[in-house]
Amino acid sequence: MSRKRIGAVALLLGVVAGLLWLFGPAGAATAQASAACLRIGTVLGAIWLALPQLQAWTSRLVMAALLALALVLALWPKLFVLAVIALVIAALLRPRLAPDAPQPAAHQPGKSR
């Protein structure tokens, strides 16, 4: 998910929490929904702030996970089948790079659109 989307969702959840708190009907369900929106929005806001640093750590985390997997398999070889299944699931669920979008044609002076 892009940083802009995370920020927009965090802001939207904050606004929804405020609107529920101000204009929602009095009751436990409204208070609970408002609190949930506020908490989730706060966590998404923190992720929005930390996203550039999190993306820089991605390759290091993958290498650490592979090293941990090798260590676990060396200590407990019976977990090999489970490790293969986990690797297949991780390969299927990994984020995919979006294909390059076509670039719009450059504006040429003197030509009308």
PDB file of all heavy atoms in Angstrom, residues 18-55:
ATOM      1  N   GLY A  18     -13.962  11.245  15.300  1.00  0.00           N
ATOM      2  CA  GLY A  18     -14.438  12.523  15.821  1.00  0.00           C
ATOM      3  C   GLY A  18     -15.913  12.742  15.562  1.00  0.00           C
ATOM      4  O   GLY A  18     -16.644  13.217  16.441  1.00  0.00           O
ATOM      5  N   LEU A  19     -16.367  12.398  14.364  1.00  0.00           N
ATOM      6  CA  LEU A  19     -17.786  12.558  14.036  1.00  0.00           C
ATOM      7  C   LEU A  19     -18.666  11.639  14.880  1.00  0.00           C
ATOM      8  O   LEU A  19     -19.747  12.044  15.334  1.00  0.00           O
ATOM      9  CB  LEU A  19     -18.031  12.305  12.548  1.00  0.00           C
ATOM     10  CG  LEU A  19     -17.482  13.366  11.591  1.00  0.00           C
ATOM     11  CD1 LEU A  19     -17.675  12.920  10.151  1.00  0.00           C
ATOM     12  CD2 LEU A  19     -18.154  14.709  11.839  1.00  0.00           C
ATOM     13  N   LEU A  20     -18.212  10.413  15.095  1.00  0.00           N
ATOM     14  CA  LEU A  20     -18.981   9.508  15.949  1.00  0.00           C
ATOM     15  C   LEU A  20     -19.035  10.018  17.379  1.00  0.00           C
ATOM     16  O   LEU A  20     -20.055   9.916  18.060  1.00  0.00           O
ATOM     17  CB  LEU A  20     -18.380   8.092  15.915  1.00  0.00           C
ATOM     18  CG  LEU A  20     -18.694   7.247  14.698  1.00  0.00           C
ATOM     19  CD1 LEU A  20     -17.904   5.949  14.737  1.00  0.00           C
ATOM     20  CD2 LEU A  20     -20.173   6.962  14.611  1.00  0.00           C
ATOM     21  N   TRP A  21     -17.936  10.565  17.844  1.00  0.00           N
ATOM     22  CA  TRP A  21     -17.889  11.066  19.211  1.00  0.00           C
ATOM     23  C   TRP A  21     -18.792  12.284  19.391  1.00  0.00           C
ATOM     24  O   TRP A  21     -19.478  12.413  20.397  1.00  0.00           O
ATOM     25  CB  TRP A  21     -16.447  11.401  19.575  1.00  0.00           C
ATOM     26  CG  TRP A  21     -16.275  11.861  20.982  1.00  0.00           C
ATOM     27  CD1 TRP A  21     -16.435  11.121  22.120  1.00  0.00           C
ATOM     28  CD2 TRP A  21     -15.911  13.170  21.392  1.00  0.00           C
ATOM     29  NE1 TRP A  21     -16.189  11.900  23.204  1.00  0.00           N
ATOM     30  CE2 TRP A  21     -15.859  13.171  22.794  1.00  0.00           C
ATOM     31  CE3 TRP A  21     -15.615  14.341  20.714  1.00  0.00           C
ATOM     32  CZ2 TRP A  21     -15.523  14.300  23.519  1.00  0.00           C
ATOM     33  CZ3 TRP A  21     -15.277  15.454  21.444  1.00  0.00           C
ATOM     34  CH2 TRP A  21     -15.234  15.432  22.832  1.00  0.00           C
ATOM     35  N   LEU A  22     -18.787  13.160  18.384  1.00  0.00           N
ATOM     36  CA  LEU A  22     -19.575  14.385  18.491  1.00  0.00           C
ATOM     37  C   LEU A  22     -21.053  14.179  18.179  1.00  0.00           C
ATOM     38  O   LEU A  22     -21.923  14.685  18.888  1.00  0.00           O
ATOM     39  CB  LEU A  22     -19.021  15.456  17.548  1.00  0.00           C
ATOM     40  CG  LEU A  22     -17.698  16.092  17.942  1.00  0.00           C
ATOM     41  CD1 LEU A  22     -17.208  17.014  16.841  1.00  0.00           C
ATOM     42  CD2 LEU A  22     -17.848  16.851  19.246  1.00  0.00           C
ATOM     43  N   PHE A  23     -21.349  13.469  17.094  1.00  0.00           N
ATOM     44  CA  PHE A  23     -22.718  13.415  16.597  1.00  0.00           C
ATOM     45  C   PHE A  23     -23.375  12.050  16.688  1.00  0.00           C
ATOM     46  O   PHE A  23     -24.541  11.913  16.318  1.00  0.00           O
ATOM     47  CB  PHE A  23     -22.757  13.885  15.138  1.00  0.00           C
ATOM     48  CG  PHE A  23     -22.224  15.269  14.949  1.00  0.00           C
ATOM     49  CD1 PHE A  23     -21.057  15.478  14.233  1.00  0.00           C
ATOM     50  CD2 PHE A  23     -22.871  16.356  15.490  1.00  0.00           C
ATOM     51  CE1 PHE A  23     -20.549  16.754  14.050  1.00  0.00           C
ATOM     52  CE2 PHE A  23     -22.381  17.641  15.318  1.00  0.00           C
ATOM     53  CZ  PHE A  23     -21.216  17.837  14.604  1.00  0.00           C
ATOM     54  N   GLY A  24     -22.654  11.033  17.132  1.00  0.00           N
ATOM     55  CA  GLY A  24     -23.220   9.693  17.196  1.00  0.00           C
ATOM     56  C   GLY A  24     -24.199   9.561  18.340  1.00  0.00           C
ATOM     57  O   GLY A  24     -24.177  10.329  19.307  1.00  0.00           O
ATOM     58  N   PRO A  25     -25.088   8.586  18.235  1.00  0.00           N
ATOM     59  CA  PRO A  25     -26.031   8.366  19.335  1.00  0.00           C
ATOM     60  C   PRO A  25     -25.286   7.893  20.578  1.00  0.00           C
ATOM     61  O   PRO A  25     -24.277   7.202  20.491  1.00  0.00           O
ATOM     62  CB  PRO A  25     -26.972   7.288  18.803  1.00  0.00           C
ATOM     63  CG  PRO A  25     -26.202   6.604  17.739  1.00  0.00           C
ATOM     64  CD  PRO A  25     -25.271   7.628  17.160  1.00  0.00           C
ATOM     65  N   ALA A  26     -25.781   8.306  21.743  1.00  0.00           N
ATOM     66  CA  ALA A  26     -25.141   7.896  22.996  1.00  0.00           C
ATOM     67  C   ALA A  26     -25.354   6.399  23.184  1.00  0.00           C
ATOM     68  O   ALA A  26     -26.458   5.886  23.038  1.00  0.00           O
ATOM     69  CB  ALA A  26     -25.731   8.667  24.161  1.00  0.00           C
ATOM     70  N   GLY A  27     -24.278   5.721  23.475  1.00  0.00           N
ATOM     71  CA  GLY A  27     -24.382   4.281  23.696  1.00  0.00           C
ATOM     72  C   GLY A  27     -23.004   3.645  23.668  1.00  0.00           C
ATOM     73  O   GLY A  27     -22.015   4.242  23.233  1.00  0.00           O
ATOM     74  N   ALA A  28     -22.965   2.435  24.156  1.00  0.00           N
ATOM     75  CA  ALA A  28     -21.693   1.724  24.238  1.00  0.00           C
ATOM     76  C   ALA A  28     -21.154   1.372  22.857  1.00  0.00           C
ATOM     77  O   ALA A  28     -19.941   1.416  22.625  1.00  0.00           O
ATOM     78  CB  ALA A  28     -21.865   0.459  25.072  1.00  0.00           C
ATOM     79  N   ALA A  29     -22.042   1.031  21.930  1.00  0.00           N
ATOM     80  CA  ALA A  29     -21.592   0.638  20.589  1.00  0.00           C
ATOM     81  C   ALA A  29     -20.936   1.814  19.865  1.00  0.00           C
ATOM     82  O   ALA A  29     -19.922   1.656  19.189  1.00  0.00           O
ATOM     83  CB  ALA A  29     -22.761   0.096  19.776  1.00  0.00           C
ATOM     84  N   THR A  30     -21.506   2.998  20.002  1.00  0.00           N
ATOM     85  CA  THR A  30     -20.931   4.178  19.351  1.00  0.00           C
ATOM     86  C   THR A  30     -19.589   4.530  19.963  1.00  0.00           C
ATOM     87  O   THR A  30     -18.641   4.854  19.247  1.00  0.00           O
ATOM     88  CB  THR A  30     -21.900   5.374  19.478  1.00  0.00           C
ATOM     89  OG1 THR A  30     -23.151   5.004  18.928  1.00  0.00           O
ATOM     90  CG2 THR A  30     -21.363   6.580  18.747  1.00  0.00           C
ATOM     91  N   ALA A  31     -19.501   4.461  21.278  1.00  0.00           N
ATOM     92  CA  ALA A  31     -18.233   4.744  21.945  1.00  0.00           C
ATOM     93  C   ALA A  31     -17.169   3.731  21.542  1.00  0.00           C
ATOM     94  O   ALA A  31     -16.002   4.093  21.325  1.00  0.00           O
ATOM     95  CB  ALA A  31     -18.426   4.740  23.460  1.00  0.00           C
ATOM     96  N   GLN A  32     -17.569   2.488  21.416  1.00  0.00           N
ATOM     97  CA  GLN A  32     -16.629   1.440  21.029  1.00  0.00           C
ATOM     98  C   GLN A  32     -16.167   1.631  19.581  1.00  0.00           C
ATOM     99  O   GLN A  32     -14.979   1.494  19.280  1.00  0.00           O
ATOM    100  CB  GLN A  32     -17.289   0.080  21.203  1.00  0.00           C
ATOM    101  CG  GLN A  32     -16.343  -1.074  21.115  1.00  0.00           C
ATOM    102  CD  GLN A  32     -17.029  -2.384  21.465  1.00  0.00           C
ATOM    103  OE1 GLN A  32     -18.243  -2.516  21.373  1.00  0.00           O
ATOM    104  NE2 GLN A  32     -16.236  -3.365  21.867  1.00  0.00           N
ATOM    105  N   ALA A  33     -17.070   1.974  18.688  1.00  0.00           N
ATOM    106  CA  ALA A  33     -16.702   2.205  17.287  1.00  0.00           C
ATOM    107  C   ALA A  33     -15.792   3.427  17.161  1.00  0.00           C
ATOM    108  O   ALA A  33     -14.822   3.411  16.406  1.00  0.00           O
ATOM    109  CB  ALA A  33     -17.951   2.380  16.442  1.00  0.00           C
ATOM    110  N   SER A  34     -16.099   4.471  17.917  1.00  0.00           N
ATOM    111  CA  SER A  34     -15.271   5.673  17.883  1.00  0.00           C
ATOM    112  C   SER A  34     -13.863   5.372  18.397  1.00  0.00           C
ATOM    113  O   SER A  34     -12.872   5.808  17.802  1.00  0.00           O
ATOM    114  CB  SER A  34     -15.919   6.765  18.722  1.00  0.00           C
ATOM    115  OG  SER A  34     -15.088   7.886  18.797  1.00  0.00           O
ATOM    116  N   ALA A  35     -13.777   4.623  19.483  1.00  0.00           N
ATOM    117  CA  ALA A  35     -12.469   4.276  20.042  1.00  0.00           C
ATOM    118  C   ALA A  35     -11.677   3.392  19.081  1.00  0.00           C
ATOM    119  O   ALA A  35     -10.458   3.568  18.919  1.00  0.00           O
ATOM    120  CB  ALA A  35     -12.643   3.569  21.378  1.00  0.00           C
ATOM    121  N   ALA A  36     -12.359   2.459  18.435  1.00  0.00           N
ATOM    122  CA  ALA A  36     -11.668   1.580  17.483  1.00  0.00           C
ATOM    123  C   ALA A  36     -11.132   2.379  16.301  1.00  0.00           C
ATOM    124  O   ALA A  36      -9.976   2.177  15.881  1.00  0.00           O
ATOM    125  CB  ALA A  36     -12.610   0.484  17.004  1.00  0.00           C
ATOM    126  N   CYS A  37     -11.946   3.285  15.755  1.00  0.00           N
ATOM    127  CA  CYS A  37     -11.489   4.112  14.637  1.00  0.00           C
ATOM    128  C   CYS A  37     -10.293   4.972  15.051  1.00  0.00           C
ATOM    129  O   CYS A  37      -9.335   5.122  14.295  1.00  0.00           O
ATOM    130  CB  CYS A  37     -12.619   5.004  14.135  1.00  0.00           C
ATOM    131  SG  CYS A  37     -13.883   4.131  13.221  1.00  0.00           S
ATOM    132  N   LEU A  38     -10.357   5.531  16.248  1.00  0.00           N
ATOM    133  CA  LEU A  38      -9.261   6.369  16.722  1.00  0.00           C
ATOM    134  C   LEU A  38      -7.979   5.568  16.913  1.00  0.00           C
ATOM    135  O   LEU A  38      -6.900   6.001  16.510  1.00  0.00           O
ATOM    136  CB  LEU A  38      -9.660   7.056  18.029  1.00  0.00           C
ATOM    137  CG  LEU A  38      -8.658   8.049  18.587  1.00  0.00           C
ATOM    138  CD1 LEU A  38      -8.458   9.198  17.607  1.00  0.00           C
ATOM    139  CD2 LEU A  38      -9.118   8.568  19.925  1.00  0.00           C
ATOM    140  N   ARG A  39      -8.083   4.386  17.484  1.00  0.00           N
ATOM    141  CA  ARG A  39      -6.889   3.559  17.715  1.00  0.00           C
ATOM    142  C   ARG A  39      -6.279   3.079  16.406  1.00  0.00           C
ATOM    143  O   ARG A  39      -5.065   3.138  16.217  1.00  0.00           O
ATOM    144  CB  ARG A  39      -7.247   2.372  18.597  1.00  0.00           C
ATOM    145  CG  ARG A  39      -7.519   2.774  20.013  1.00  0.00           C
ATOM    146  CD  ARG A  39      -7.955   1.604  20.852  1.00  0.00           C
ATOM    147  NE  ARG A  39      -8.271   2.049  22.202  1.00  0.00           N
ATOM    148  CZ  ARG A  39      -8.934   1.332  23.069  1.00  0.00           C
ATOM    149  NH1 ARG A  39      -9.377   0.134  22.730  1.00  0.00           N
ATOM    150  NH2 ARG A  39      -9.178   1.799  24.266  1.00  0.00           N
ATOM    151  N   ILE A  40      -7.113   2.589  15.506  1.00  0.00           N
ATOM    152  CA  ILE A  40      -6.601   2.103  14.232  1.00  0.00           C
ATOM    153  C   ILE A  40      -6.016   3.252  13.416  1.00  0.00           C
ATOM    154  O   ILE A  40      -4.963   3.125  12.795  1.00  0.00           O
ATOM    155  CB  ILE A  40      -7.702   1.355  13.448  1.00  0.00           C
ATOM    156  CG1 ILE A  40      -8.106   0.097  14.200  1.00  0.00           C
ATOM    157  CG2 ILE A  40      -7.232   0.997  12.044  1.00  0.00           C
ATOM    158  CD1 ILE A  40      -9.350  -0.570  13.651  1.00  0.00           C
ATOM    159  N   GLY A  41      -6.675   4.402  13.440  1.00  0.00           N
ATOM    160  CA  GLY A  41      -6.148   5.575  12.744  1.00  0.00           C
ATOM    161  C   GLY A  41      -4.815   6.023  13.302  1.00  0.00           C
ATOM    162  O   GLY A  41      -3.920   6.430  12.559  1.00  0.00           O
ATOM    163  N   THR A  42      -4.652   5.951  14.623  1.00  0.00           N
ATOM    164  CA  THR A  42      -3.385   6.325  15.245  1.00  0.00           C
ATOM    165  C   THR A  42      -2.270   5.375  14.833  1.00  0.00           C
ATOM    166  O   THR A  42      -1.151   5.808  14.514  1.00  0.00           O
ATOM    167  CB  THR A  42      -3.533   6.336  16.776  1.00  0.00           C
ATOM    168  OG1 THR A  42      -4.586   7.232  17.121  1.00  0.00           O
ATOM    169  CG2 THR A  42      -2.256   6.765  17.453  1.00  0.00           C
ATOM    170  N   VAL A  43      -2.557   4.079  14.822  1.00  0.00           N
ATOM    171  CA  VAL A  43      -1.543   3.100  14.406  1.00  0.00           C
ATOM    172  C   VAL A  43      -1.180   3.294  12.933  1.00  0.00           C
ATOM    173  O   VAL A  43       0.000   3.269  12.561  1.00  0.00           O
ATOM    174  CB  VAL A  43      -2.030   1.662  14.678  1.00  0.00           C
ATOM    175  CG1 VAL A  43      -1.118   0.638  14.031  1.00  0.00           C
ATOM    176  CG2 VAL A  43      -2.129   1.420  16.174  1.00  0.00           C
ATOM    177  N   LEU A  44      -2.182   3.527  12.085  1.00  0.00           N
ATOM    178  CA  LEU A  44      -1.893   3.778  10.669  1.00  0.00           C
ATOM    179  C   LEU A  44      -1.111   5.076  10.488  1.00  0.00           C
ATOM    180  O   LEU A  44      -0.253   5.164   9.604  1.00  0.00           O
ATOM    181  CB  LEU A  44      -3.186   3.816   9.855  1.00  0.00           C
ATOM    182  CG  LEU A  44      -3.828   2.465   9.569  1.00  0.00           C
ATOM    183  CD1 LEU A  44      -5.138   2.651   8.823  1.00  0.00           C
ATOM    184  CD2 LEU A  44      -2.894   1.577   8.783  1.00  0.00           C
ATOM    185  N   GLY A  45      -1.387   6.067  11.317  1.00  0.00           N
ATOM    186  CA  GLY A  45      -0.599   7.302  11.261  1.00  0.00           C
ATOM    187  C   GLY A  45       0.854   7.060  11.628  1.00  0.00           C
ATOM    188  O   GLY A  45       1.769   7.622  11.012  1.00  0.00           O
ATOM    189  N   ALA A  46       1.091   6.218  12.618  1.00  0.00           N
ATOM    190  CA  ALA A  46       2.466   5.885  12.988  1.00  0.00           C
ATOM    191  C   ALA A  46       3.156   5.106  11.864  1.00  0.00           C
ATOM    192  O   ALA A  46       4.338   5.332  11.570  1.00  0.00           O
ATOM    193  CB  ALA A  46       2.477   5.070  14.282  1.00  0.00           C
ATOM    194  N   ILE A  47       2.419   4.194  11.233  1.00  0.00           N
ATOM    195  CA  ILE A  47       2.990   3.464  10.092  1.00  0.00           C
ATOM    196  C   ILE A  47       3.282   4.419   8.949  1.00  0.00           C
ATOM    197  O   ILE A  47       4.315   4.317   8.284  1.00  0.00           O
ATOM    198  CB  ILE A  47       2.043   2.327   9.651  1.00  0.00           C
ATOM    199  CG1 ILE A  47       2.011   1.238  10.727  1.00  0.00           C
ATOM    200  CG2 ILE A  47       2.461   1.738   8.313  1.00  0.00           C
ATOM    201  CD1 ILE A  47       0.965   0.168  10.485  1.00  0.00           C
ATOM    202  N   TRP A  48       2.389   5.394   8.719  1.00  0.00           N
ATOM    203  CA  TRP A  48       2.606   6.391   7.670  1.00  0.00           C
ATOM    204  C   TRP A  48       3.895   7.159   7.924  1.00  0.00           C
ATOM    205  O   TRP A  48       4.667   7.421   7.001  1.00  0.00           O
ATOM    206  CB  TRP A  48       1.414   7.336   7.610  1.00  0.00           C
ATOM    207  CG  TRP A  48       1.567   8.465   6.658  1.00  0.00           C
ATOM    208  CD1 TRP A  48       1.429   8.409   5.300  1.00  0.00           C
ATOM    209  CD2 TRP A  48       1.911   9.816   6.969  1.00  0.00           C
ATOM    210  NE1 TRP A  48       1.644   9.651   4.761  1.00  0.00           N
ATOM    211  CE2 TRP A  48       1.948  10.528   5.757  1.00  0.00           C
ATOM    212  CE3 TRP A  48       2.182  10.482   8.149  1.00  0.00           C
ATOM    213  CZ2 TRP A  48       2.255  11.881   5.717  1.00  0.00           C
ATOM    214  CZ3 TRP A  48       2.470  11.822   8.101  1.00  0.00           C
ATOM    215  CH2 TRP A  48       2.509  12.505   6.897  1.00  0.00           C
ATOM    216  N   LEU A  49       4.129   7.524   9.177  1.00  0.00           N
ATOM    217  CA  LEU A  49       5.355   8.244   9.498  1.00  0.00           C
ATOM    218  C   LEU A  49       6.603   7.376   9.320  1.00  0.00           C
ATOM    219  O   LEU A  49       7.647   7.856   8.895  1.00  0.00           O
ATOM    220  CB  LEU A  49       5.304   8.762  10.940  1.00  0.00           C
ATOM    221  CG  LEU A  49       4.417   9.958  11.182  1.00  0.00           C
ATOM    222  CD1 LEU A  49       4.324  10.236  12.679  1.00  0.00           C
ATOM    223  CD2 LEU A  49       4.942  11.176  10.447  1.00  0.00           C
ATOM    224  N   ALA A  50       6.498   6.087   9.646  1.00  0.00           N
ATOM    225  CA  ALA A  50       7.666   5.219   9.635  1.00  0.00           C
ATOM    226  C   ALA A  50       7.864   4.473   8.324  1.00  0.00           C
ATOM    227  O   ALA A  50       8.852   3.751   8.178  1.00  0.00           O
ATOM    228  CB  ALA A  50       7.544   4.198  10.769  1.00  0.00           C
ATOM    229  N   LEU A  51       6.967   4.623   7.365  1.00  0.00           N
ATOM    230  CA  LEU A  51       7.014   3.806   6.155  1.00  0.00           C
ATOM    231  C   LEU A  51       8.335   3.906   5.383  1.00  0.00           C
ATOM    232  O   LEU A  51       8.844   2.871   4.942  1.00  0.00           O
ATOM    233  CB  LEU A  51       5.828   4.123   5.247  1.00  0.00           C
ATOM    234  CG  LEU A  51       5.574   3.104   4.155  1.00  0.00           C
ATOM    235  CD1 LEU A  51       5.289   1.736   4.741  1.00  0.00           C
ATOM    236  CD2 LEU A  51       4.421   3.522   3.292  1.00  0.00           C
ATOM    237  N   PRO A  52       8.939   5.072   5.194  1.00  0.00           N
ATOM    238  CA  PRO A  52      10.220   5.082   4.471  1.00  0.00           C
ATOM    239  C   PRO A  52      11.305   4.253   5.162  1.00  0.00           C
ATOM    240  O   PRO A  52      12.064   3.541   4.505  1.00  0.00           O
ATOM    241  CB  PRO A  52      10.600   6.568   4.442  1.00  0.00           C
ATOM    242  CG  PRO A  52       9.316   7.292   4.566  1.00  0.00           C
ATOM    243  CD  PRO A  52       8.456   6.429   5.445  1.00  0.00           C
ATOM    244  N   GLN A  53      11.343   4.296   6.478  1.00  0.00           N
ATOM    245  CA  GLN A  53      12.328   3.500   7.200  1.00  0.00           C
ATOM    246  C   GLN A  53      11.981   2.017   7.150  1.00  0.00           C
ATOM    247  O   GLN A  53      12.871   1.169   7.071  1.00  0.00           O
ATOM    248  CB  GLN A  53      12.434   3.950   8.664  1.00  0.00           C
ATOM    249  CG  GLN A  53      13.100   5.284   8.844  1.00  0.00           C
ATOM    250  CD  GLN A  53      12.153   6.459   8.633  1.00  0.00           C
ATOM    251  OE1 GLN A  53      10.938   6.280   8.556  1.00  0.00           O
ATOM    252  NE2 GLN A  53      12.703   7.648   8.514  1.00  0.00           N
ATOM    253  N   LEU A  54      10.687   1.692   7.180  1.00  0.00           N
ATOM    254  CA  LEU A  54      10.280   0.291   7.105  1.00  0.00           C
ATOM    255  C   LEU A  54      10.636  -0.314   5.752  1.00  0.00           C
ATOM    256  O   LEU A  54      11.034  -1.472   5.668  1.00  0.00           O
ATOM    257  CB  LEU A  54       8.775   0.155   7.353  1.00  0.00           C
ATOM    258  CG  LEU A  54       8.285   0.448   8.765  1.00  0.00           C
ATOM    259  CD1 LEU A  54       6.768   0.397   8.806  1.00  0.00           C
ATOM    260  CD2 LEU A  54       8.881  -0.526   9.742  1.00  0.00           C
ATOM    261  N   GLN A  55      10.487   0.466   4.685  1.00  0.00           N
ATOM    262  CA  GLN A  55      10.819  -0.047   3.360  1.00  0.00           C
ATOM    263  C   GLN A  55      12.313  -0.267   3.214  1.00  0.00           C
ATOM    264  O   GLN A  55      12.741  -1.157   2.483  1.00  0.00           O
ATOM    265  CB  GLN A  55      10.300   0.904   2.291  1.00  0.00           C
ATOM    266  CG  GLN A  55       8.798   0.887   2.193  1.00  0.00           C
ATOM    267  CD  GLN A  55       8.244   1.949   1.253  1.00  0.00           C
ATOM    268  OE1 GLN A  55       8.927   2.908   0.930  1.00  0.00           O
ATOM    269  NE2 GLN A  55       7.008   1.779   0.839  1.00  0.00           N
TER     270      GLN A  55
END
